[in-house]
Amino acid sequence: MEMQGRSATARGGKREKPLRREVAPVSNTLGLRLGLLHYLVGYLDLHKVDLPTEIHPSFRFFHQVIMEEELVQRKKSLEDGSGRFRLYRMLALRFITSIPVPVTWTRLAQTAESGSSTLILLQNVTWKAGDEIVIASTSHRHSQSENEKRTIEFVSADGKNVTLTEPLLYKHLGISVTLPDSTVFEARAEVGLLTRNIVVRGSTNVEWSDNIAACPDGFDTGEFATQTCFQGRFGEEIGSDQFGGCIMFHAPQPGKLLSIGRIEYVEVFHAGQAFRLGRYPIHWHLMGDVQYKSYVRGCGIHQTYNRAVTIHNTHHLLVENNVIYDIMGGAFFIEDGIEHGNILQYNLAVFVRQSTSLLNDDVTPAAFWVTNPNNTIRHNAAAGGTHFGFWYRMHTNPDGPSYDPNICQQRVPLGEFYNNTVHSQGWFGIWIFENYFPMVGGSCSSSTPSPAIFRSLTTWNCQKGAEWVNGGALQFHNFSMINNEDSGIETKRVLSTYVGGWGEVRGAVLKNAVIVGHLDELGLGDSYCTARGITLPFDEGLTVSSVKFMNFDRPNCAAIAVTTVIGLCSDRCGGWSAKFDGIQYFNSPNKAGFRWEHEVVLIDTDGTLTGKIGGKVVPGSRLLDPSQCSQSSEWSAGFPGHVCNSSISFHRLAFNNPSPSSLLGKDVIISNSFGSSVVPFLLKRLTHQPGWMALLPNANSFNWYFSNVDFITNISYTSTFYGFKSEDYVLISHNLTHKPDMFQIIDVRNGSTRALSWSNNTNGDWYFNNDTTTLTYLVSGKRKLRRRAAAGTLDTTMSNTNVNLVVYQCYYKDCIPPPPPTQAPVSPTVKE
């Protein structure tokens, strides 16, 4: 490793006159292999090195620049037998301080066309000729090769016009687009400065420095894509042994401020070591609480082989105004999940790419990898990477040496997520995977939901704008999702145990979002459109409030749809509901894309979704009352959709475990006075799997039978009817071959002597018609309320009913077996 350039080191509160001094590479002086040097607060570690008896003056200067010798008391003997220079009783350490760069990154004021050598910037910069910069891709999600690194030839006097030494190969956007609601969307490439006055550079092993040709097929970011090349997937490159330099800060005693690390306006290049845990370009290692006295500020970090900045069991660290480019694996990396109070702000991450050289998570890396939500992530930008912009990845407890069973970061309230931007990423702008259930206080025993409000994310030209997987009271506010391929915002699950009702107080909410299906100015073609604007979860409980849907007007896209969870349920799933208010549509005739009959219920709480306060939107079904529900082309981008009046409500029915076993695999036919519906048996269901699921309109009588089963008397199954208010009911009938002897619905009780009704009967009552051999039972909300799996938690006026039907005809009369036969006494045998 070498350090070169000039520094300005603060002593006694005053900044010294900048030094200009060339530093001989450590390798040339000591015979070291470049890239083997590590800076550790507490000691300077030289691995596998034969140390000379005399230290070259340049190396001593190297110490002075980095460590401010007057704060360090050293042992006279440098060699301690382990190959380390130990630094004892370290009170403080200001690492490397270079000449400040007021603007480390900005955006294009105008589009830079392919072939152009001029960039027009939004902000004035102090960059100069010879500096290296990176221009982020603004193209589609597979455009990682369109991130371009260039050298400056000239900067205009006002600092806004930059001339490059060679022209651009690709177009980079710098535009403002007026949206259909008259607001303005900015699509501008980020431009970041990589060069600094002080350079910390890892070695280059020439044996590995081959020219690698670009892979003809490039890199496909698809989850199940087949990659055809190991190298050159992002264009031509120079080979490397991926064994770069490392800077590590480490305290002798964490949290006591015995060590302070500050690195600012430094270029870190060819850094990090692949396949080696803990060998990162800049590594804050077990520092404890640094009280914002340590920081990484204004640095340029590029061509690294194992992350960029790693924060390991270090709290209240400041990471700001850094530019990182061409980073392997998760870049800004919060490691164990115990880290809290750190601030990551105003950073630019370009081309954070897949790595197979460390953790499994690095195969799908994020520019910002957050394992504890109690950190501040704001005003950052990520562009042109292979996978995620931001990934919140909370495990049950902290990992590694930080493991503590009393810390449960999945329940920790959110610190801050605000005003971040992601574009041209292979996968998602933000991903919250796998679990996040924020609770008041954040302890492992906390049970009162505390909404985690992620604010102001802009994502464009990615696969998905934002997604959470298993969530509790999660809320996305003020998100702008434009031109994302699969979905603007996707919510997989809202787990009812971890929310406290509908709405903002303790619920799951999408609020004040702008979802744009296509914006042709972004250059993805006149047939491109986001497949699903908002993708609803496989649970009820999500409120969609004050959302604008724009430009969902092409055959392959719809504003609203329902999720799919591979491995859980992907075919004919759902049956839950979501609530909507304050909805606006602009140039969006494709309001919803349903996939099957019993998929979802959309509830319009204020009339903005359907024009009817309390109206419902459901996929078409022959069970619907045509006088109350009518088909609408606006809601039929997929399976035909119907808009129903406010008087109509629906109940989810799910059931399984039928007897006799011959009923398994049979379709169920459910009919009422308006028509019939075929409910398929499926192995994968959200509840009651394998089994059946259907949506039933309220206050109806249904006949239920199994397809192609002509004779049945003995029957049983396990079922749940969801979401009943006190005035709600359904009547379920089964046609039997003979009169059974035993009836159990929700319990064992006597049958009614007359036909059932909501006004005269209670939940679980049954009636058998001897003339038609038909069993009918009542499911009603008119009873003492019970807490239920989903709707009871969300709406305490609702309840579920579990029906464990058992109906059978006894072999013996009145189900009483005869007494055992009387046997004559046996005479003893007499021997002759």
Side-chain angles (χ1 to χ4, degrees):
M1 174 180 285
E2 61 178 295
M3 187 213 61
Q4 58 190 17
R6 60 180 180 172
S7 72
T9 306
R11 299 185 183 185
K14 297 175 62 177
R15 181 167 295 279
E16 292 187 337
K17 182 179 179 180
L19 303 172
R20 181 67 181 177
R21 189 165 182 179
E22 296 298 326
V23 181
V26 176
S27 59
N28 295 342
T29 304
L30 300 178
L32 307 179
R33 282 191 59 186
L34 302 181
L36 299 180
L37 181 61
H38 304 269
Y39 306 97
L40 300 99
V41 174
Y43 59 84
L44 175 65
D45 191 358
L46 301 178
H47 292 284
K48 303 178 183 176
V49 175
D50 294 327
L51 297 173
T53 55
E54 296 293 332
I55 303 299
H56 192 280
S58 66
F59 190 64
R60 288 198 296 272
F61 171 76
F62 186 66
H63 275 231
Q64 292 166 4
V65 171
I66 296 175
M67 301 177 191
E68 299 186 38
E69 277 187 291
E70 74 277 11
L71 297 179
V72 180
Q73 298 184 22
R74 306 192 216 193
K75 191 176 180 181
K76 290 183 179 180
S77 173
L78 293 174
E79 173 60 39
D80 72 349
S82 66
R84 293 171 174 172
F85 293 99
R86 287 203 173 272
L87 308 176
Y88 293 92
R89 296 176 62 186
M90 185 79 67
L91 300 178
L93 182 146
R94 177 167 285 111
F95 206 60
I96 307 177
T97 305
S98 181
I99 295 178
V101 180
V103 177
T104 58
W105 64 278
T106 182
R107 292 183 169 94
L108 291 179
Q110 297 180 19
T111 294
E113 299 289 346
S114 171
S116 173
S117 298
T118 301
L119 305 178
I120 301 176
L121 307 179
L122 276 179
Q123 294 174 273
N124 307 76
V125 298
T126 58
W127 309 345
K128 58 187 182 297
D131 286 351
E132 288 187 325
I133 60 174
V134 59
I135 307 99
S137 169
T138 55
S139 191
H140 54 82
R141 72 182 187 95
H142 304 294
S143 64
Q144 287 74 32
S145 61
E146 298 185 25
N147 300 303
E148 300 194 68
K149 183 179 177 182
R150 289 292 182 269
T151 301
I152 296 175
E153 182 177 15
F154 176 76
V155 180
S156 64
D158 65 359
K160 286 193 173 182
N161 289 15
V162 174
T163 303
L164 308 176
T165 59
E166 57 181 305
L168 297 169
L169 297 178
Y170 302 97
K171 179 179 181 178
H172 299 266
L173 296 177
I175 59 174
S176 298
V177 183
T178 301
L179 299 178
D181 67 341
S182 299
T183 60
V184 176
F185 167 67
E186 307 278 346
R188 303 181 183 278
E190 294 81 5
V191 183
L193 180 68
L194 301 175
T195 300
R196 302 293 187 273
N197 284 89
I198 287 181
V199 181
V200 177
R201 181 190 305 268
S203 65
T204 299
N205 188 337
V206 296
E207 296 177 359
W208 291 78
S209 300
D210 298 327
N211 290 319
I212 300 171
C215 175
D217 296 332
F219 179 72
D220 189 333
T221 62
E223 183 177 2
F224 303 106
T226 299
Q227 309 300 334
T228 60
C229 299
F230 180 70
Q231 294 180 302
R233 290 181 288 179
F234 308 102
E236 294 183 2
E237 59 182 281
I238 304 297
S240 171
D241 61 359
Q242 299 185 359
F243 196 76
C246 306
I247 300 171
M248 180 185 284
F249 297 89
H250 180 54
Q253 296 183 50
K256 295 188 176 181
L257 293 181
L258 297 178
S259 299
I260 297 174
R262 297 171 182 168
I263 178 168
E264 56 185 342
Y265 306 112
V266 172
E267 181 179 348
V268 180
F269 172 70
H270 191 78
Q273 297 170 4
F275 304 102
R276 301 198 69 194
L277 192 67
R279 295 297 181 251
Y280 313 121
I282 300 177
H283 184 190
W284 301 87
H285 183 66
L286 308 181
M287 291 279 283
D289 188 354
V290 298
Q291 300 178 27
Y292 301 118
K293 297 182 183 296
S294 294
Y295 53 75
V296 182
R297 175 183 294 149
C299 294
I301 306 169
H302 57 115
Q303 191 177 319
T304 75
Y305 310 112
N306 195 351
R307 319 201 187 292
V309 177
T310 295
I311 304 171
H312 186 194
N313 204 335
T314 299
H315 323 295
H316 302 107
L317 175 73
L318 180 61
V319 181
E320 65 178 359
N321 292 313
N322 301 287
V323 176
I324 67 172
Y325 166 67
D326 191 7
I327 309 296
M328 291 180 62
F332 293 103
F333 190 86
I334 297 176
E335 189 163 349
D336 280 353
I338 199 171
E339 300 82 6
H340 59 271
N342 301 291
I343 298 177
L344 286 75
Q345 61 184 10
Y346 301 103
N347 300 289
L348 170 63
V350 178
F351 191 35
V352 174
R353 61 192 181 109
Q354 183 183 69
S355 170
T356 58
S357 61
L358 199 61
L359 302 180
N360 288 337
D361 292 325
D362 294 306
V363 176
T364 57
F368 296 81
W369 201 75
V370 184
T371 54
N372 188 308
N374 187 18
N375 290 281
T376 295
I377 314 292
R378 62 193 179 200
H379 310 300
N380 302 289
T386 59
H387 290 83
F388 303 108
F390 301 87
W391 182 356
Y392 278 71
R393 178 74 159 97
M394 281 73 73
H395 290 170
T396 304
N397 305 107
D399 298 329
S402 306
Y403 173 75
D404 187 336
N406 298 311
I407 296 176
C408 301
Q409 60 267 37
Q410 292 179 359
R411 293 173 178 258
V412 170
L414 182 67
E416 182 182 4
F417 181 94
Y418 176 69
N419 192 36
N420 298 292
T421 301
V422 183
H423 66 85
S424 308
Q425 288 281 134
W427 284 17
F428 312 161
I430 184 173
W431 198 33
I432 303 175
F433 173 90
E434 178 178 14
N435 302 312
Y436 187 24
F437 314 119
M439 297 289 171
V440 173
S443 71
C444 297
S445 59
S446 298
S447 59
T448 302
S450 174
I453 304 176
F454 294 78
R455 302 180 187 272
S456 301
L457 173 68
T458 299
T459 306
W460 48 282
N461 285 11
C462 297
Q463 182 185 11
K464 296 180 184 179
E467 179 181 284
W468 78 58
V469 180
N470 297 325
L474 304 186
Q475 300 186 15
F476 291 167
H477 289 205
N478 301 302
F479 277 26
S480 295
M481 309 281 103
I482 294 96
N483 259 44
N484 298 296
E485 185 174 304
D486 288 350
S487 185
I489 299 175
E490 181 152 357
T491 55
K492 295 291 188 183
R493 303 294 307 272
V494 176
L495 302 187
S496 61
T497 307
Y498 304 104
V499 295
W502 295 90
E504 291 185 59
V505 176
R506 289 178 183 170
V509 176
L510 306 179
K511 184 175 181 179
N512 292 332
V514 173
I515 315 290
V516 181
H518 64 84
L519 207 59
D520 293 347
E521 290 85 347
L522 300 187
L524 300 189
D526 57 10
S527 63
Y528 183 90
C529 192
T530 298
R532 304 176 301 275
I534 286 180
T535 307
L536 302 175
F538 271 162
D539 307 272
E540 64 183 49
L542 180 67
T543 299
V544 181
S545 179
S546 302
V547 173
K548 298 177 181 180
F549 295 100
M550 305 181 189
N551 295 347
F552 286 90
D553 60 341
R554 291 176 176 167
N556 57 333
C557 62
I560 300 170
V562 178
T563 192
T564 292
V565 180
I566 301 298
L568 175 63
C569 196
S570 58
D571 179 27
R572 289 165 288 184
C573 311
W576 305 105
S577 59
K579 291 185 178 181
F580 293 78
D581 66 81
I583 304 303
Q584 298 182 62
Y585 285 97
F586 299 85
N587 191 32
S588 297
N590 299 340
K591 293 185 175 181
F594 302 124
R595 291 172 297 187
W596 78 296
E597 179 180 351
H598 302 284
E599 188 168 28
V600 71
V601 180
L602 312 182
I603 303 172
D604 185 354
T605 61
D606 66 350
T608 58
L609 185 72
T610 65
K612 302 176 180 180
I613 297 176
K616 317 294 188 306
V617 182
V618 293
S621 172
R622 293 180 180 177
L623 301 177
L624 298 176
D625 182 349
S627 69
Q628 300 295 322
C629 302
S630 58
Q631 185 176 341
S632 170
S633 60
E634 292 183 322
W635 298 97
S636 302
F639 194 92
H642 283 59
V643 177
C644 299
N645 296 332
S646 59
S647 60
I648 302 298
S649 60
F650 296 86
H651 305 290
R652 185 178 190 267
L653 162 66
F655 56 98
N656 64 353
N657 298 327
S659 179
S661 59
S662 59
L663 300 178
L664 280 171
K666 301 285 187 181
D667 289 342
V668 165
I669 313 300
I670 297 178
S671 61
N672 63 4
S673 59
F674 307 111
S676 62
S677 173
V678 178
V679 180
F681 171 86
L682 293 174
L683 294 176
K684 291 186 177 181
R685 290 290 190 187
L686 297 175
T687 63
H688 301 77
Q689 61 176 334
W692 301 262
M693 189 279 294
L695 278 175
L696 304 180
N698 181 54
N700 271 253
S701 298
F702 299 94
N703 184 259
W704 167 357
Y705 64 94
F706 290 85
S707 179
N708 298 319
V709 178
D710 295 328
F711 302 99
I712 189 166
T713 298
N714 294 356
I715 181 174
S716 66
Y717 53 76
T718 301
S719 65
T720 302
F721 293 77
Y722 294 86
F724 284 75
K725 294 187 176 182
S726 60
E727 66 271 19
D728 295 341
Y729 74 93
V730 293
L731 291 165
I732 303 296
S733 298
H734 294 290
N735 295 327
L736 306 177
T737 307
H738 302 286
K739 180 181 179 181
D741 295 302
M742 177 64 69
F743 298 88
Q744 175 182 304
I745 311 301
I746 62 174
D747 53 26
V748 177
R749 68 179 70 170
N750 294 327
S752 175
T753 59
R754 57 181 177 176
L756 304 177
S757 67
W758 174 84
S759 57
N760 295 325
N761 296 96
T762 60
N763 183 54
D765 282 356
W766 60 272
Y767 169 73
F768 187 80
N769 188 317
N770 290 296
D771 297 331
T772 61
T773 61
T774 299
L775 167 69
T776 302
Y777 63 85
L778 174 69
V779 179
S780 168
K782 190 176 66 172
R783 40 81 187 274
K784 184 178 179 180
L785 294 179
R786 301 177 184 176
R787 184 176 180 86
R788 74 181 187 94
T793 303
L794 297 166
D795 187 342
T796 57
T797 67
M798 288 186 174
S799 60
N800 285 352
T801 292
N802 294 320
V803 172
N804 299 312
L805 182 74
V806 179
V807 176
Y808 59 88
Q809 187 177 47
C810 298
Y811 184 80
Y812 300 102
K813 183 179 180 180
D814 298 325
C815 298
I816 300 174
T822 303
Q823 297 181 352
V826 179
S827 302
T829 303
V830 179
K831 293 184 179 180
E832 295 182 358

